[in-house]
Amino acid sequence: MSGGDKIACFPSRGAQTLMKGRLKGATTGHRLLKKKADALQLKFRSILKKIIDTKQIMGEIMKEASFSLAEAKFAGGGDFNQAVLQNVNKAQIKIKTKNDNVAGVNLPVFESYQDGSDSYELAGLAKGGQQLKRLKANYQKAINLLVDLASLQTSFITLDVVIKTTNRRVNAIEHVIIPRIERTLAYIISELDELEREEFFRLKKVQDKKKKIRKEKEALAAARKAAGLDEGDGGDIFEEEHDEDLLF
């Protein structure tokens, strides 16, 4: 296992506990980001459908507005564009913005509203009033649809960027971070198991060495007793129970 495949750490119980916590956090983060990506995808497809429907309706509304303009010019007896443009002082239709929160993403929503009364309410009073009224109504619908379409397309672009970023994070956690933590955890567990085996082998060697020394002492005592050299004194209990230090 190369150094780039795992996180550099010293294999210990503390490091194992830390890696287990990091693995749990990464798994939870991946699950939450996956849910967020699914919610954003659902909203993305919903907005896309609304954009398609709005554009189709927009074509019909603009066609009706163009016919209404032609009818108004014919009924009014001439072109009144210049007269309207010269009398405009401020915009009557304005836009306000609010935010719509979708899975932690703020999407801008535009709404149109009319500021003040209609300055051309009496326009066409002499002739062509009905056509002018229909003209204003059709273009009012067209403006409202344009504002809605702008709001939908802005949300569409914002969601597209956020979805790509979220998917990159999900893939990074799933294919890079979690496997790296798992490899590190496997490395720590294998190293700890190896240390346990070494410790068990060392303790076994110590016990075998002690048994060997004890047998040698028992054999020597038996030989001394058989030769009559052991007078049967109690001896020193500290000397009998003392084990020599073993070095490997």
Side-chain angles (χ1 to χ4, degrees), residues 52-89:
I52 296 174
D53 295 340
T54 304
K55 286 186 176 181
Q56 292 177 352
I57 297 173
M58 191 69 196
E60 298 294 330
I61 294 296
M62 290 303 297
K63 183 168 65 174
E64 293 180 4
S66 298
F67 280 123
S68 299
L69 178 60
E71 290 176 355
K73 287 182 179 180
F74 180 77
D79 190 4
F80 47 83
N81 289 341
Q82 294 299 324
V84 173
L85 292 175
Q86 290 175 1
N87 293 326
V88 171
N89 295 323

Side-chain angles (χ1 to χ4, degrees), residues 16-240:
Q16 183 182 10
T17 304
L18 179 62
M19 287 300 156
K20 286 182 178 179
R22 293 181 64 175
L23 180 61
K24 182 179 179 181
T27 305
T28 304
H30 175 266
R31 184 177 69 254
L32 294 177
L33 281 177
K34 189 68 176 176
K35 289 182 179 179
K36 178 181 178 180
D38 293 341
L40 293 177
Q41 284 284 357
L42 185 63
K43 184 66 175 179
F44 184 79
R45 289 191 290 268
S46 174
I47 290 178
L48 180 60
K49 184 177 183 302
K50 288 181 180 179
I51 288 176
I52 296 174
D53 295 340
T54 304
K55 286 186 176 181
Q56 292 177 352
I57 297 173
M58 191 69 196
E60 298 294 330
I61 294 296
M62 290 303 297
K63 183 168 65 174
E64 293 180 4
S66 298
F67 280 123
S68 299
L69 178 60
E71 290 176 355
K73 287 182 179 180
F74 180 77
D79 190 4
F80 47 83
N81 289 341
Q82 294 299 324
V84 173
L85 292 175
Q86 290 175 1
N87 293 326
V88 171
N89 295 323
K90 65 175 183 177
Q92 293 183 0
I93 298 178
K94 297 183 179 180
I95 296 175
K96 59 182 178 180
T97 306
K98 66 178 183 180
N99 291 327
D100 183 18
N101 192 297
V102 178
V105 180
N106 290 324
L107 300 178
V109 178
F110 305 139
E111 292 182 354
S112 61
Y113 67 96
Q114 186 168 351
D115 185 14
S117 60
D118 189 3
S119 302
Y120 300 97
E121 187 176 359
L122 300 178
L125 187 60
K127 56 181 178 177
Q130 185 176 1
Q131 285 75 13
L132 285 175
K133 183 178 180 180
R134 189 184 303 114
L135 172 65
K136 289 191 290 184
N138 288 333
Y139 273 99
Q140 180 74 33
K141 291 180 182 178
I143 291 175
N144 293 333
L145 278 176
L146 281 175
V147 173
D148 293 341
L149 187 59
S151 177
L152 290 172
Q153 288 186 338
T154 305
S155 300
F156 182 84
I157 295 173
T158 305
L159 277 179
D160 184 47
V161 175
V162 174
I163 287 173
K164 289 179 180 178
T165 304
T166 305
N167 287 334
R168 282 197 296 268
R169 291 176 180 174
V170 170
N171 292 332
I173 293 176
E174 182 178 357
H175 300 292
V176 178
I177 296 178
I178 291 180
R180 193 179 184 191
I181 295 176
E182 289 177 346
R183 287 192 295 267
T184 305
L185 194 58
Y187 162 73
I188 293 174
I189 293 174
S190 64
E191 289 295 321
L192 291 178
D193 291 342
E194 182 67 24
L195 290 175
E196 288 180 359
R197 287 191 294 269
E198 291 177 358
E199 182 68 15
F200 177 77
F201 180 76
R202 187 185 69 82
L203 292 176
K204 188 174 181 181
K205 290 289 290 183
V206 169
Q207 290 178 356
D208 292 342
K209 189 69 174 179
K210 287 182 178 180
K211 289 180 180 179
K212 183 178 180 181
I213 294 174
R214 188 179 297 111
K215 288 182 179 180
E216 290 177 354
K217 286 184 177 181
E218 290 176 354
L220 181 60
R224 288 173 62 87
K225 186 175 182 180
L229 298 176
D230 191 359
E231 298 179 355
D233 55 345
D236 192 354
I237 61 174
F238 296 103
E239 289 295 333
E240 291 179 357

